[in-house]
Amino acid sequence: MSLPTDLIAFVITLLRGAQLAAQALLLGGIAFVLAVSDPLAAPLGEAGPRLCAAARRWTRRAALGVAGAALAAGSINVLDVVSTMDLSVMDALGAEFVQWSAVTVASALLVAFAGNRKIILAAGGATVLMASAMTSHAAARLDQRGIFLVADLLHQCGAAIWIGGIPFLLLGLRLVHQRDGRFILGRRCSQLYALAVGALAIGALVLAVGYTRSLTALTGTAYGAMMGGKLVLLATLLSFGLLNALSIRRLGRGGDAGLGRLRRLAEAEIGIGLTVMFVAASLASHPLAVDQVSDPTAVASLHEIAQRMAPAWPSLSSPPLGEISVPADASMTVNPTAADHAWSGFNHHWSALFVLLIGLLALAERTGRAAWARHWPALLIGLAVLLLARSDPETWPLGPIPFFDRLRDPEVLQHRLITLVVTLFGCFEWAVRCGRLNRTRAPLIFPLLCAVGGGLLLTHGHSLADVKQSFLIELSHIPMGLLGIYAGWSRWLELRGEGRVARVAGWIWPICFVLIGLLLLNYRES
Ligand code: HEM
């Protein structure tokens, strides 16, 4: 039996994202042990040995996570190759990707079970990093392979030490109680992360220029657009990092008032940083922009982009169900007709009205003068019903293809996941707003689901045969995904932060919803 290729590709991207996230924690932990907790053990006093032990413990756990994710990704790849290329399992095990996955698993396990010695930690971490670069686009380039491999290594290493190091800084701040100790720890972490950001940026610059090479490739392909999305998230992370560096400097001058803010911003930094890992995995699964320009029909011109983005009236009426195309096989996609586009336009524009109204009601509630507006989460449940009924008309509840058969198409699977996220979202938040769910952590469900939804939009693929049309659709999803991520983490900061941070954040997320509504109102597929 052959496995549905698009679905397998989506699962592999998610597993690669999970592996990169665990790898960040592993490499961030190793760098923390080698450059922070071990060298500072004496100056940190009695907290020093406790921090060393805890940092090693979490590094070992991260190593197990890397081994698990690499094993799962390798196995799915073997299954995929066996089923699609009609190879034997032994032949599939010989594929280069599978062998690098095996190297990752072995070196991660070495760190997990024998990694108390620094040399083993360093060698294990370096091998995991090398194996990761050897399975990226860099290793497959025929020209300037060496330069791209070095850039990829620098980029991945910097990203991991920075993003994966932040949880270890938080661990340190929890275990070290003296102000002087916290300052020494914070300063050392700041220096390490600044170096890591430098490596990340140099690597990103070389990869971005080398993999695009022209403005047309940068602006006209999904690869270029996703790099733009990463750049925006990087700018946000850098501004958080800068604020945290200022808090640490203030700590050195005797004031620890900024420490609460540092903790909360660091939490948001970890969340956004891990989302970038999934975006990176999705980026690595796209064809390179520089290769795509060889086929001019696959690249959108600035004129085509401007045309698609120009404001137009939303369509609020739908064609009849009978005019919608139904694929002959449950796993197949069809080339959409004008009626299919009109059907989708109706869905998007009505969804837009729901989201816009949610944002406006949340803003009204935020003013403190409209308590009734707190029932806005009920609109999310209405939105989920709309999505369930109409997002994929060829399957249950409207179409002939059985519900589970159609889940083989990753686009349909992603729609169903988003519907589930929106439903959970609405139920939890409505209960929270009405005071029926008072557990301290329950309100955090809303921002987390919001951020996950935004991340899914950023990694969301469209299985259209027409690459240019897929890109033009993705172009509208990227800003919405970014706004979803900002909505989630600003609500998180409102809930967990204090003072000005919480106040400002409390205005940001409803505004994000309004902006998502407006963008969606202008969405179209042709
Ligand atoms: C916080 C910011 C960032 C993080 C955490 C990050 C992380 C990563 C990671 C982990 C990879 C490896 C992906 C893989 O091999 O599966 C990667 C690849 C890459 N990143 Fe970033 N990145 C960041 C920012 C950027 C920026 C700003 C750019 C450029 C504008 C960029 C461009 C690239 C490119 C071109 C690749 C190569 C992907 C491929 O092999 O096709 N990254 N990034």
Side-chain angles (χ1 to χ4, degrees):
M1 185 193 77
S2 78
L3 298 166
T5 15
D6 285 342
L7 180 58
I8 292 298
F10 179 56
V11 172
I12 289 174
T13 303
L14 289 184
L15 284 172
R16 173 73 178 168
Q19 183 183 330
L20 290 173
Q23 182 178 304
L25 206 59
L26 171 66
L27 298 179
I30 292 175
F32 186 87
V33 168
L34 299 182
V36 182
S37 60
D38 274 19
L40 295 182
L44 290 179
E46 65 181 47
R50 269 190 293 136
L51 181 58
C52 290
R56 279 184 158 75
R57 196 165 53 247
W58 279 103
T59 304
R60 282 198 295 271
R61 287 176 186 163
L64 287 178
V66 172
L71 189 63
S75 313
I76 295 222
N77 267 293
V78 170
L79 268 181
D80 188 32
V81 170
V82 168
S83 76
T84 53
M85 299 175 82
D86 219 10
L87 289 178
S88 70
V89 174
M90 282 321 283
D91 287 342
L93 287 177
E96 205 175 319
F97 175 86
V98 179
Q99 292 184 349
W100 281 114
S101 293
V103 171
T104 306
V105 175
S107 38
L109 289 178
L110 182 72
V111 172
F113 294 109
N116 265 340
R117 296 235 303 277
K118 287 185 195 172
I119 184 76
I120 293 183
L121 278 180
T127 317
V128 166
L129 182 65
M130 180 51 113
S132 182
M134 289 307 290
T135 49
S136 72
H137 269 128
R141 297 313 288 164
L142 295 176
D143 61 332
Q144 298 174 324
R145 183 173 185 258
I147 296 178
F148 289 131
L149 267 177
V150 172
D152 199 90
L153 279 169
L154 266 180
H155 184 63
Q156 289 205 42
C157 183
I161 291 180
W162 177 27
I163 302 299
I166 301 171
F168 288 88
L169 167 63
L170 289 180
L171 181 71
L173 291 176
R174 195 152 59 80
L175 294 178
V176 178
H177 301 293
Q178 308 296 329
R179 204 184 57 227
D180 285 352
R182 284 179 166 175
F183 171 62
I184 300 171
L185 179 76
R187 189 180 51 186
R188 178 63 66 91
C189 285
S190 258
Q191 290 162 343
L192 177 66
Y193 303 159
L195 276 178
V197 169
L200 177 149
I202 294 170
L205 191 68
V206 176
L207 293 175
V209 173
Y211 289 171
T212 49
R213 298 245 170 103
S214 68
L215 204 59
T216 320
L218 187 66
T219 55
T221 60
Y223 198 90
M226 291 186 79
M227 282 199 317
K230 282 181 83 177
L231 195 59
V232 173
L233 290 173
L234 174 65
T236 311
L237 289 171
L238 283 177
S239 53
F240 284 8
L242 197 68
L243 286 172
N244 286 348
L246 291 176
S247 299
I248 288 167
R249 203 179 276 187
R250 201 183 312 159
L251 194 63
R253 291 198 300 263
D256 50 11
L259 217 53
R261 184 183 73 182
L262 183 150
R263 284 204 177 94
R264 301 305 154 233
L265 289 183
E267 288 168 4
E269 242 182 302
I270 297 169
I272 297 176
L274 293 185
T275 310
V276 185
M277 298 294 173
F278 283 86
V279 180
S282 174
L283 181 69
S285 71
H286 275 70
L288 289 186
V290 66
D291 295 339
Q292 237 175 294
V293 279
S294 56
D295 174 9
T297 60
V299 181
S301 68
L302 285 178
H303 176 68
E304 284 167 316
I305 295 172
Q307 244 183 352
R308 180 63 65 89
M309 295 296 157
W313 277 113
S315 65
L316 298 175
S317 64
S318 165
L321 181 62
E323 289 181 17
I324 302 306
S325 327
V326 176
D329 177 281
S331 61
M332 274 174 59
T333 51
V334 285
N335 275 335
T337 61
D340 296 330
H341 286 310
W343 180 278
S344 169
F346 173 97
N347 297 349
H348 282 89
H349 297 151
W350 274 99
S351 304
L353 291 179
F354 272 98
V355 178
L356 188 59
L357 202 56
I358 287 169
L360 292 173
L361 288 178
L363 274 176
E365 187 195 2
R366 183 76 183 83
T367 61
R369 295 193 192 139
W372 53 270
R374 73 179 184 284
H375 293 293
W376 59 260
L379 287 170
L380 285 166
I381 298 166
L383 174 62
V385 172
L386 176 83
L387 292 175
L388 179 70
R390 292 196 47 113
S391 65
D392 302 287
E394 68 285 357
T395 181
W396 186 88
L398 297 183
I401 303 181
F403 181 81
F404 288 106
D405 288 6
R406 198 62 185 123
L407 290 184
R408 288 152 57 99
D409 182 332
E411 195 176 332
V412 177
L413 179 69
Q414 287 164 53
H415 287 155
R416 299 302 186 196
L417 279 177
I418 288 172
T419 306
L420 184 69
V421 167
V422 171
T423 312
L424 289 173
F425 211 17
C427 294
F428 269 98
E429 192 58 16
W430 200 7
V432 168
R433 301 262 154 192
C434 297
R436 295 209 185 103
L437 206 57
N438 290 325
R439 293 242 190 100
T440 44
R441 288 183 189 272
L444 298 177
I445 302 284
F446 167 79
L448 287 178
L449 289 178
C450 210
V452 169
L456 270 179
L457 266 182
L458 281 185
T459 44
H460 180 88
H462 285 88
S463 38
L464 292 183
D466 186 336
V467 179
K468 193 200 292 183
Q469 289 309 319
S470 281
F471 159 61
L472 288 169
I473 294 174
E474 271 175 44
L475 202 57
S476 64
H477 281 60
I478 290 172
M480 287 190 266
L482 291 173
L483 286 165
I485 291 169
Y486 289 140
W489 291 106
S490 51
R491 172 72 176 142
W492 178 278
L493 288 174
E494 182 192 15
L495 288 168
R496 303 256 305 152
E498 290 158 10
R500 193 143 54 109
V501 168
R503 267 197 314 281
V504 173
W507 287 102
I508 293 178
W509 67 265
I511 293 174
C512 289
F513 269 81
V514 170
L515 292 176
I516 294 173
L518 291 176
L519 281 172
L520 204 51
L521 215 48
N522 196 39
Y523 173 85
R524 52 191 184 276
E525 292 183 352
S526 56

